[in-house]
Every structure is written in structure tokens, then in C-alpha cells.
Amino acid sequence: MLRRPRRNRKSSVVRAMVEETTLSPSELIYPVFITEGENKTVEIPSMPGIHRYTVDKLLDEIHTCMELGVRTFALFPQITEELKDSYAKESHNMNGLYIKAIRKIKEQLPDACLMTDVAMDPYSSDGHDGLVKNGQILNDETLEILGRMALAQARAGADIIGPSDMMDGRIGYLRNLLDDEGFINVSIMAYTAKYASAFYGPFRDALESAPKFGDKKTYQMNPANSREALIEADLDFEEGADFLMVKPALLYLDIIKLLNQNFDLPIAAYNVSGEYAMIKAASRNGWLNGEKAMAEALLSIKRAGAKIILTYFAKEYAQLKKNLG
Ligand code: PBG
């Protein structure tokens, strides 16, 4: 045998030398949940280890993560039911929970990079990402609301806007609006290929944001399709996105690879709540090694072509890296 592939696996030194993929905490984005009040952290039952934080507590959490090398945070608000309406007005209330939280974090921790969520669902009495009229999700009318939301976030100090709504034309609409208002340096991470997935369940528990009727199939993509992802990516590229995202991540590694091969923008992937919950549940039952499963899952997403990974494992992964030296 002239070819013995095992020679390149014979010791940890050789294995490290030939290792192709590495992942650093600086490439992770940590999604965090904000709730009203003070001095409270409430664990989300379907997401062990993940909490809703009041803003004061969130500042501590962000500070800890920054020391571990995780420096970008995707913020999601839990809005009380009384503040929800069909127009998601609370989403651009300059004195509302979310906008105040952005201000406060940027004021106290200016080096934290904040990615904000642009979609109606946390604030909508219908629980949909767009405006609902007669059971339909209206596209162009929604853009106006998303625009108000994005501008409020930019004014509060958002570094990256993350439209997660899947309305047509929103990237160009938001880019133009931000530019007209002078926010030329606010980035846009487009949720480019966002699928109508069963794996968002725990996230909807966390925000109490599940749709009140129907599903999201008229705006989120069909899990059966991949070619459509290229159309979405073309549009987002042309409309000025700075990053293209695939969501979920682990079940859509082929889509990550497809976008990475066809576009020169950095590709991000969202390792979603259900993917997190599966690994946590199995590891809590002693059915697999949670740390190893986490590291392997994240590495696989990177290997498929994602430069950036949004993951609830961000802090735990950074902690693990630090402990391993
Ligand atoms: C909605 C939104 C969702 C997630 C992020 N933004 C859920 C949905 O589309 O219903 C899911 C994230 C996760 O599951 O971790 N705008």
C-alpha cells in the first residue's frame, strides 16, 4: 500500500497540522433574549442554559461573553401581550424595551457589536412577521413598518440590522432608507434563505411569538427547495446586503455550501433553537456527549462554508475553547 491515509492521523501534532477547519469565538454571534423588569433571569424550559434577561442582567452576560471572545450579539425582545397590536407599533417606540436596551448596551459596552432583529412577530398580535389583513400577509405594506423599526434601531446604535421577515424587496428598501437617513455604516445581514422550519419551536416559546393562525409558508421557504435560495441570494446581493444567511444551519448544510460557492459575500448560518434543544436534550439524558456534539456540529457548519455562525452555544463553546487553552 503506497497510500496510507492513516499516516496523516497518527498523532495529535500531525492531526493538528493537517486540520482544515477551525472555529474561533470571534466568528460566533450569540442570540440573546431581553425581557421587561429588573434583576431577573428566567430559564427557557425548552432551551436549557438559555435565559431571558432583564437589561441589567444582560449587560453582565454580554460583558462575560466579551471576555471569552464572543463580541457580537443578536438581540430578541419578549414583548408583553398588552403591547402587541396588528401594526407592531411597539417595535419603533423609542421608549420601548428593545430600543432602550440597544441604547443602554451601546452606552455601557460600546465595543459589543449589536445585531438587531427586523420582523413584526415579537410585537404583532397576529404573531406573523408581516402585516396581516383578511388572513393574508401583505408584503409592500409591511416594508414601511420594517423601515420604521430599522430606523429606530439604527438611531439607538445598532451595528447590524438583521431582517428575519422574508418579505420581498426588504433589503433594498431598508438599505435605501438607512442611507437616506445617513446610516451608511449600518450593516445588513439578510436572512436570505430562511426556511419554514419545525425547528423554531423553542424560540417561539422564548418570545411567546408563535403565529396565532396558520403558518409561515407564504413567506418562509419550502424545505424541499434549494434553487430558490439562489434567487433570494441574487436579490439580497443586488439590494445591498453585507452578509447572506442560511437558516436553520445543521439541516441545510447543502444550502450553505451552495451560497458559499456562488457568492463572494461572507455567509452566515443560524444554528436555530430546535437544533440547540436536540443536542441539549440528548446530552441531558446521557445519550451523547454534549460538549463533543456541540463542537462537531459547529465545526460542520463552518466546514460547509459558513464564515459566521449564530448559535445559542456561543458562550459555552467559547468557555470550552478557553478551558482547552
Ligand atoms: C422570526 C424569527 C424566528 C427565529 C428568528 N427570528 C422564528 C420564526 O421565524 O418563527 C428563530 C430562531 C430560532 O429558532 O432560534 N422573525
Side-chain angles (χ1 to χ4, degrees), residues 193 195 221-231 254-255 258-259:
Y195 285 88
M221 284 175 54
N222 182 345
N225 295 350
S226 61
R227 291 158 58 81
E228 230 179 306
L230 290 171
I231 298 178
D254 56 327
I255 310 298
L258 186 67
L259 293 200

Side-chain angles (χ1 to χ4, degrees), residues 31 33 47 76 117-122 127-129 162-166 191 194-197 199-204 207 209-211 216 219-220 247-248 270-276 310 312:
F33 301 118
M47 301 180 77
F76 295 98
D117 185 53
V118 176
M120 289 175 63
D121 53 320
H128 275 285
D129 295 25
S164 66
D165 56 287
M166 287 302 277
Y191 284 63
K194 178 175 179 179
Y195 285 88
S197 172
F199 288 82
Y200 306 151
F203 174 95
R204 293 176 189 171
L207 296 192
S209 65
K216 299 192 175 186
Y219 45 107
Q220 299 181 349
K247 177 184 175 183
Y270 199 141
N271 176 214
V272 299
S273 57
E275 296 175 324
Y276 174 84
L310 293 94
Y312 302 97

Side-chain angles (χ1 to χ4, degrees), residues 124-146:
S124 156
S125 45
D126 299 300
H128 275 285
D129 295 25
L131 181 64
V132 178
K133 281 266 161 73
N134 305 321
Q136 305 281 316
I137 315 299
L138 303 185
N139 194 89
D140 300 13
E141 293 78 352
T142 298
L143 297 184
E144 240 174 86
I145 297 169
L146 300 179

Side-chain angles (χ1 to χ4, degrees), residues 31-186:
V32 290
F33 301 118
I34 313 173
T35 191
E36 201 72 64
E38 258 174 64
N39 198 27
K40 255 195 333 190
T41 59
V42 183
E43 192 171 34
I44 296 142
S46 50
M47 301 180 77
I50 298 299
H51 303 76
R52 297 183 193 116
Y53 296 93
T54 53
V55 179
D56 52 342
K57 287 288 185 185
L58 183 58
L59 286 167
D60 296 342
E61 177 72 359
I62 290 179
H63 183 75
T64 308
C65 290
M66 304 247 312
E67 298 210 310
L68 290 167
V70 175
R71 295 173 297 197
T72 307
F73 304 86
L75 311 177
F76 295 98
Q78 182 205 20
I79 302 296
T80 46
E81 210 58 37
E82 312 85 79
L83 292 175
K84 297 184 184 181
D85 63 28
S86 53
Y87 290 93
K89 281 197 219 69
E90 182 62 15
S91 66
H92 45 89
N93 174 5
M94 291 310 279
N95 290 312
L97 168 70
Y98 196 63
I99 303 296
K100 275 200 331 214
I102 300 165
R103 274 229 160 89
K104 184 88 183 172
I105 299 164
K106 287 308 283 187
E107 190 183 288
Q108 305 269 316
L109 300 165
D111 294 336
C113 180
L114 299 189
M115 171 166 161
T116 55
D117 185 53
V118 176
M120 289 175 63
D121 53 320
Y123 317 90
S124 156
S125 45
D126 299 300
H128 275 285
D129 295 25
L131 181 64
V132 178
K133 281 266 161 73
N134 305 321
Q136 305 281 316
I137 315 299
L138 303 185
N139 194 89
D140 300 13
E141 293 78 352
T142 298
L143 297 184
E144 240 174 86
I145 297 169
L146 300 179
R148 285 197 202 117
M149 200 181 301
L151 273 188
Q153 295 168 357
R155 289 188 181 118
D159 298 284
I160 304 172
I161 302 285
S164 66
D165 56 287
M166 287 302 277
M167 295 301 117
D168 291 336
R170 89 268 207 222
I171 302 302
Y173 183 89
L174 294 173
R175 184 70 272 163
N176 281 325
L177 196 62
L178 289 168
D179 287 358
D180 286 348
E181 297 289 324
F183 295 108
I184 56 165
N185 288 324
V186 172

